[in-house]
Amino acid sequence: DAMVIQNPRYQVTQFGKPVTLSCSQTLNHNVMYWYQQKSSQAPKLLFHYYDKDFNNEADTPDNFQSRRPNTSFCFLDIRSPGLGDAAMYLCATSRDGRGEGYTFGSGTRLTVV
Amino acid sequence: AQTVTQSQPEMSVQEAETVTLSCTYDTSENNYYLFWYKQPPSRQMILVIRQEAYKQQNATENRFSVNFQKAAKSFSLKISDSQLGDTAMYFCAYPAGGSNYKLTFGKGTLLTVNP
């Protein structure tokens, strides 16, 4: 089945230690998104790629970066995680970002110790 | 600014009954799409139902239907014959944007279905 896969499901990292979360898709969708979701809150968009074009949200901290080496994979890098970065990170894909809705991965729950 | 508002943080319903979740939005676009997503506890976000604004007919997916009122910018979700598995956070969402569309979520409504 075509899907969006996020690894790992759970990630524990130390305060200040760089961490990378990964997302892959078999849907061949043009657009890939990274959302941050804190407990009982709506997902907050960090950035997205439309093909190779990177689009950063204005309020996304510089501590967060992303890479999309090819259509299938997208990575979220947190350079120096703080306690406030503990959250669920959701990857989503869309064919055109508009009409068909988004397909979400299962998420990676990040804990910072 | 394009926003999505869900005014009910929490709701509960008895199994087999009907419940309606509210959503209003603000947009200057004429042709757009609206979505309801479901996020069960500790589980994946999934698409429940989708509405195209240029279609007057309300979307329906099995037990899930919407009441779309374009002029009022209202997009409510009706769940009929509620089941225990419907317990989840429900998000209303709208792909706001200009050249790049980005899904904007409401704050969500936590629905609990009681046996």
Side-chain angles (χ1 to χ4, degrees):
Chain A
D1 288 342
M3 56 177 59
V4 179
I5 301 169
Q6 290 188 246
N7 285 307
R9 187 68 190 273
Y10 300 93
Q11 175 75 56
V12 180
T13 191
Q14 291 181 335
F15 183 94
K17 184 176 180 180
V19 64
T20 295
L21 310 182
S22 73
C23 176
S24 63
Q25 57 134 338
T26 60
L27 297 159
N28 202 33
H29 281 171
N30 296 317
V31 198
M32 294 187 77
Y33 305 83
W34 280 104
Y35 283 86
Q36 180 192 63
Q37 186 179 27
K38 297 191 174 180
S39 181
S40 301
Q41 296 183 19
K44 177 181 178 296
L45 182 64
L46 296 173
F47 25 59
H48 72 282
Y49 276 94
Y50 199 116
D51 292 328
K52 294 186 177 182
D53 292 334
F54 177 69
N55 298 272
N56 198 32
E57 293 301 296
D59 57 354
T60 298
D62 293 339
N63 199 26
F64 290 84
Q65 296 182 340
S66 184
R67 297 169 283 135
R68 189 180 185 184
N70 53 52
T71 300
S72 301
F73 285 87
C74 196
F75 301 97
L76 169 62
D77 301 309
I78 308 177
R79 291 193 296 184
S80 181
L83 297 179
D85 297 328
M88 176 73 84
Y89 290 88
L90 301 174
C91 175
T93 72
S94 173
R95 190 177 306 280
D96 63 359
R98 189 162 184 249
E100 294 184 359
Y102 293 17
T103 302
F104 284 83
S106 298
T108 294
R109 182 164 296 283
L110 179 68
T111 301
V112 182
V113 297
Chain B
Q2 291 152 324
T3 60
V4 180
T5 302
Q6 294 178 250
S7 58
Q8 304 150 315
E10 294 187 35
M11 294 189 71
S12 63
V13 64
Q14 292 298 121
E15 197 174 5
E17 293 187 348
T18 296
V19 64
T20 298
L21 310 182
S22 302
C23 173
T24 58
Y25 60 94
D26 185 27
T27 182
S28 56
E29 295 184 288
N30 188 48
N31 187 20
Y32 50 90
Y33 300 84
L34 294 162
F35 305 94
W36 278 98
Y37 281 86
K38 169 185 176 181
Q39 189 177 38
S42 300
R43 292 183 62 186
Q44 194 168 355
M45 181 96 73
I46 59 173
L47 179 64
V48 175
I49 199 164
R50 164 181 176 268
Q51 175 76 44
E52 299 173 65
Y54 66 87
K55 288 188 176 180
Q56 292 186 335
Q57 186 174 6
N58 290 323
T60 299
E61 289 287 344
N62 300 316
R63 298 182 294 107
F64 298 87
S65 61
V66 300
N67 182 5
F68 173 53
Q69 299 182 16
K70 190 174 182 180
K73 296 181 180 176
S74 172
F75 181 58
S76 60
L77 175 69
K78 186 173 83 170
I79 306 174
S80 304
D81 186 25
S82 296
Q83 300 176 359
L84 296 178
D86 295 333
T87 293
M89 184 72 87
Y90 287 81
F91 292 100
C92 178
Y94 161 70
S99 56
N100 285 313
Y101 288 95
K102 301 171 287 188
L103 204 60
T104 300
F105 291 89
K107 291 188 175 182
T109 296
L110 178 61
L111 176 67
T112 301
V113 180
N114 298 309

